[in-house]
Amino acid sequence: EIVLTQSPATLSLSPGERATLSCGASQSVPSRYLAWYQQKPGLAPRLFIYDASTRATGIPDRFSGSGSGTDFTLTISRLEPEDFAVYYCQQYGSSPYSFGQGTKLEIK
Amino acid sequence: QVQLQESGPGLLKPSETLSLTCTVSGVSTSTYYWNWIRQPPGKGPEWIGYIYYSVSTRYNPSLKSRVTISIDTSKNQFSLRLRSVTAADTAVYYCARAGGYNYHFDSWGPGTLVTVSS
């Protein structure tokens, strides 16, 4: 099983700042099959990025994903108030599919 | 526009069987891969398994001995059964769609909280 480790656990930033979230895998993720989801309290996770760097429908271009192998990054270029939430990475290249434990992006 | 909605009992006693149904609208369950995912309070999600049409199923090995996922394409529904539940099975349970094998989850239901308590 591929174990995903996200860092930091909590990231405190202000609107307008740049956010960098990391996701490390215990072994290489095949074919860059890695996704990022945003989750707000009481709601289901929402797909933001798939195939490591492709934005899902309707996701603004301030969100970008990068990486391959065992190291992946979600970057938010300029934070908007609605971006503060928990973000999970997930790999779907190898069963069992697995999620990271999340990074909470909070307002500083 | 695909929509998914989970339904089922919200409270179970230890050793009982969890049974949930996901009703899908906007697309046929004869296509796509249909998944169950759960999220314990305050933790990250955990993939439970998927079903594709009536052709194949795949389960997380951590739950495989207790899980069955089935599908009823005539009702456009798929279901989860988890046997012999314990408090560790308390979680929000989500159904979700994937476009294929080894695919991301692009549509999710709102989730339903299942609590296991004596």
Side-chain angles (χ1 to χ4, degrees):
Chain A
E1 175 179 349
I2 297 178
V3 176
L4 300 179
T5 302
Q6 292 187 242
S7 61
T10 303
L11 185 57
S12 299
L13 293 170
S14 300
E17 291 193 293
R18 180 184 185 91
T20 303
L21 289 66
S22 297
C23 177
S26 60
Q27 54 188 282
S28 182
V29 176
S31 305
R32 301 178 76 227
Y33 283 158
L34 187 115
W36 291 92
Y37 300 84
Q38 179 195 71
Q39 187 175 34
K40 294 186 175 180
L43 298 180
R46 178 187 175 191
L47 178 68
F48 265 50
I49 300 284
Y50 62 93
D51 295 349
S53 60
T54 303
R55 279 188 301 276
T57 303
I59 303 305
D61 61 7
R62 64 180 181 272
F63 289 87
S64 63
S66 62
S68 63
T70 60
D71 295 300
F72 296 87
T73 300
L74 174 68
T75 301
I76 311 171
S77 59
R78 283 176 39 177
L79 286 165
E80 298 286 344
E82 62 267 27
D83 299 338
F84 292 90
V86 179
Y87 292 84
Y88 293 98
C89 58
Q90 180 244 336
Q91 68 81 21
Y92 46 94
S94 174
S95 181
Y97 310 136
S98 50
F99 291 82
Q101 81 280 16
T103 289
K104 181 180 181 180
L105 181 55
E106 65 177 25
I107 299 177
K108 188 173 182 180
Chain B
Q1 177 84 359
V2 60
Q3 291 189 315
L4 299 88
Q5 180 68 56
E6 305 87 352
S7 59
L11 181 62
L12 293 172
K13 290 182 168 46
S15 80
E16 293 185 330
T17 295
L18 179 158
S19 293
L20 297 176
T21 296
C22 182
T23 301
V24 179
S25 59
V27 68
S28 171
T29 52
S30 299
T31 56
Y32 298 101
Y33 283 63
W34 302 99
N35 294 261
W36 286 99
I37 297 159
R38 70 180 184 179
Q39 185 172 27
K43 296 186 177 181
E46 176 186 32
W47 175 72
I48 298 171
Y50 71 62
I51 188 164
Y52 171 60
Y53 196 30
S54 300
V55 173
S56 72
T57 54
R58 192 153 197 165
Y59 303 125
N60 192 321
S62 67
L63 298 167
K64 187 175 182 178
S65 63
R66 299 193 291 133
V67 170
T68 302
I69 297 176
S70 58
I71 194 165
D72 186 339
T73 55
S74 67
K75 294 182 180 179
N76 229 34
Q77 295 175 332
F78 63 106
S79 299
L80 170 70
R81 284 174 57 84
L82 179 66
R83 296 172 290 278
S84 304
V85 299
T86 70
D89 296 310
T90 293
V92 175
Y93 285 74
Y94 297 100
C95 54
R97 183 185 76 170
Y101 175 71
N102 283 3
Y103 224 77
H104 50 275
F105 307 121
D106 61 1
S107 297
W108 296 62
T112 187
L113 174 62
V114 177
T115 301
V116 180
S117 174
S118 55

